[in-house]
Amino acid sequence: MKILSARIGAILSINEGDSGARHMALVAFVIRVMSAAIAFGSQIVLARMMGDFEYGIFVFVWVLVVLVGNLSCLGFHAAQVRFLPHYQALNLRAEIRGLTTTARIFAMVSASLVALTGFMLLKLFENQVEPYYVVPLFIAFLILPMVALGDAMEGTARAHSWGVTALGPTYLVRPVLILVFMGAAVYLGAPATAETAMVTSLAATYVTTVSQFFNINRLVNRTHERGPMVINFFAWFKLAIPLFLIEGFSFLLTNSDVVVVGLFMEPRDVAIYFAASKTMALVQFVNFSVKAASAPRFSALIAGNDRNALAQFAGQTVRWAFWPGLLVGLAALASGHLLLGMFGPTFISGYDLMIILFAGILAKASVGPGEALLAMAGQQTLCVKLYAAALLVNIALNVILIPIFGLEGAACATAAAMMVEALLLHVFVRRRLGIVLFAFAKPVELPDGTMQ
């Protein structure tokens, strides 16, 4: 424990050159920790309120909403993180205004088209869908445009290193509002069902996203002032698509297990698996925070063509991800039975799933934000291939193992896919960039200036 504390203390010390990224990492981490506590508490209340069956329906549909809503942006939210720091460095205000506006409009239009398509498909194949999923799915399609717009606004704020503004609405405000609205609805006589939970989620999402829109719009206008816009749509879209594939495969990799479990098993099983995976989610929040903070700095270092500084910073980000993640994961496992028991007696059976998932999460943390480094270095196509490989492993193993081993099979499939992802990132970051991305490795400067 003393060794871990020493490691973390060294990680959190401020050094010139990366203090902004480190500050963003700390802000993102604190928000995600708070979010985990809020989400965990709210999910416990919802599970107790609704029962495992209705709760399983709700979490399955809600995961689909967040997943499809994020994918509907087609990478424009991530493209802002790539372009805006560059435009700021060159003082290209018109391009900044054009990109932020385009990202918002594109996200809304794209998600609305996806929602309309979903409505038509659900109506066409309604008889082939389990009856208890039909109404929640219809409500879910109404939420999609606001989820996509929220992701676009988050991308704008992340690109400006506005940590609280970027992450607060989605990860703090929205889950609180869902719980408050659900509690109020049940208190006023509404049934504690998945349908009620989806209606309250719709209201919470619209309130959160609309408020976030006006707040970020005010900040952008104050920072860059009002003025003409330059729109390079096809140049942005050309980069957004590879980033969409990278983010999409990554997001699918993170959430596909819940979706596959929902397709193969009953809502009660979905509820248990979701509770176990979200109990371990705090460990993944560490890596998310480091990724959110490091991407703009990676972009700036690559633009400055400073390979030594890039390698040193990349090594630091891995240690930022691994050591705090290890400590948080061990703490979660130590209190796992207590945490799962809060959801209800039936949820304690998910403890073994936590152990299995932690092995995969730790493997991923050992290479830190490798995908962000490759993406910012122009290796988007490679990232797509790596994520596609890991996703195929995940889906194939889920399909094979769930019918045989049930929920343990799903956890093993997810952990194995994370390990494959980590191995591929380690190998190709070293091959393409000459950087050893591993928690226990240090970059060494070679005579030719490359880093290994």
Side-chain angles (χ1 to χ4, degrees):
M1 188 64 68
K2 290 183 178 179
I3 296 175
L4 284 174
S5 299
R7 290 279 188 175
I8 294 170
I11 287 166
L12 297 182
S13 61
I14 302 298
N15 293 323
E16 184 179 357
D18 59 25
S19 59
R22 196 187 302 268
H23 174 73
M24 178 65 180
L26 289 174
V27 169
F29 177 65
V30 169
I31 289 177
R32 292 304 295 259
V33 170
M34 294 173 61
S35 168
I38 292 171
F40 188 76
S42 65
Q43 294 302 319
I44 289 173
V45 174
L46 290 174
R48 290 283 189 175
M49 187 183 301
M50 300 165 64
D52 53 9
F53 188 85
E54 291 291 332
Y55 178 69
I57 296 172
F58 168 68
V59 297
F60 174 69
V61 176
W62 182 249
V63 167
L64 286 176
V65 168
V66 175
L67 181 63
V68 177
N70 179 274
L71 297 179
S72 297
C73 294
L74 293 182
F76 257 95
H77 60 308
Q80 295 179 91
V81 180
R82 172 63 179 85
F83 281 109
L84 288 182
H86 179 71
Y87 289 155
Q88 285 182 295
L90 299 177
N91 199 32
L92 299 176
R93 306 295 180 183
E95 282 78 359
I96 292 174
R97 288 187 286 267
L99 177 56
T100 55
T101 302
T102 300
R104 301 172 197 174
I105 296 174
F106 186 90
M108 282 288 293
V109 173
S110 176
S112 297
L113 292 175
V114 171
L116 181 60
T117 303
F119 278 125
M120 293 187 295
L121 290 176
L122 185 58
K123 188 63 178 178
L124 184 63
F125 298 103
E126 182 176 351
N127 294 333
Q128 300 179 34
V129 178
E130 293 290 351
Y132 45 74
Y133 280 131
V134 173
V135 174
L137 284 173
F138 270 114
I139 300 171
F141 293 130
L142 297 174
I143 305 177
L144 285 182
M146 287 296 103
V147 171
L149 178 60
D151 285 338
M153 303 305 294
E154 179 184 332
T156 302
R158 280 180 55 201
H160 288 86
S161 295
W162 299 332
V164 175
T165 304
L167 305 177
T170 299
Y171 298 104
L172 298 180
V173 178
R174 187 171 68 189
V176 170
L177 288 181
I178 291 175
L179 182 60
V180 170
F181 290 170
M182 181 67 177
V186 173
Y187 177 78
L188 294 174
T193 62
E195 294 179 12
T196 302
M198 288 304 300
V199 171
T200 57
S201 298
L202 182 149
T205 303
Y206 271 75
V207 170
T208 302
T209 303
V210 171
S211 301
Q212 184 184 26
F213 173 84
F214 285 110
N215 185 36
I216 292 182
N217 193 54
R218 175 183 60 82
L219 290 174
V220 170
N221 289 335
R222 187 179 68 185
T223 303
H224 306 294
E225 300 180 351
R226 295 180 181 274
M229 293 186 296
V230 172
I231 297 178
N232 298 315
F233 179 81
F234 291 106
W236 297 333
F237 190 69
K238 183 178 179 180
L239 178 68
I241 289 300
L243 291 176
F244 156 71
L245 295 175
I246 295 169
E247 295 275 340
F249 282 128
S250 175
F251 213 44
L252 285 169
L253 198 56
T254 304
N255 296 280
S256 61
D257 51 349
V258 176
V259 175
V260 176
V261 169
L263 294 176
F264 278 86
M265 306 185 76
E266 293 294 317
R268 289 186 177 88
D269 298 309
V270 178
I272 293 172
Y273 186 88
F274 184 83
S277 63
K278 294 311 172 187
T279 302
M280 295 305 300
L282 183 57
V283 187
Q284 293 176 298
F285 291 165
V286 176
N287 198 53
F288 171 89
S289 303
V290 175
K291 177 182 174 182
S294 61
R297 177 119 176 99
F298 282 147
S299 177
L301 289 172
I302 291 168
N305 198 29
D306 191 342
R307 288 184 58 82
N308 291 344
L310 176 63
Q312 293 291 342
F313 180 70
Q316 288 178 336
T317 62
V318 175
R319 291 186 286 276
W320 295 352
F322 181 81
W323 293 107
L326 175 61
L327 183 61
V328 171
L330 292 176
L333 290 179
S335 55
H337 284 96
L338 174 64
L339 296 175
L340 289 175
M342 294 180 180
F343 287 85
T346 60
F347 289 87
I348 298 177
S349 61
Y351 182 77
D352 291 344
L353 308 180
M354 291 175 57
I355 299 175
I356 298 170
L357 292 171
F358 180 56
I361 292 170
L362 202 59
K364 179 63 175 67
S366 69
V367 297
E371 67 276 27
L373 175 57
L374 285 174
M376 295 301 105
Q379 300 290 330
Q380 297 93 339
T381 302
L382 174 60
C383 285
V384 171
K385 294 178 181 178
L386 299 186
Y387 274 127
L391 180 61
L392 288 175
V393 169
N394 192 5
I395 294 176
L397 289 179
N398 267 294
V399 172
I400 294 170
L401 296 179
I402 287 178
I404 302 174
F405 300 107
L407 294 180
E408 287 77 10
C412 287
T414 300
M418 289 182 183
M419 294 176 184
V420 169
E421 177 191 359
L423 178 61
L424 292 175
L425 286 171
H426 172 79
V427 170
F428 283 97
V429 166
R430 182 166 186 167
R431 287 186 179 181
R432 296 295 176 89
L433 304 180
I435 297 173
V436 176
L437 208 61
F438 187 56
F440 303 98
K442 293 183 179 180
V444 179
E445 185 175 358
L446 299 180
D448 62 357
T450 60
M451 304 298 293
Q452 295 199 14

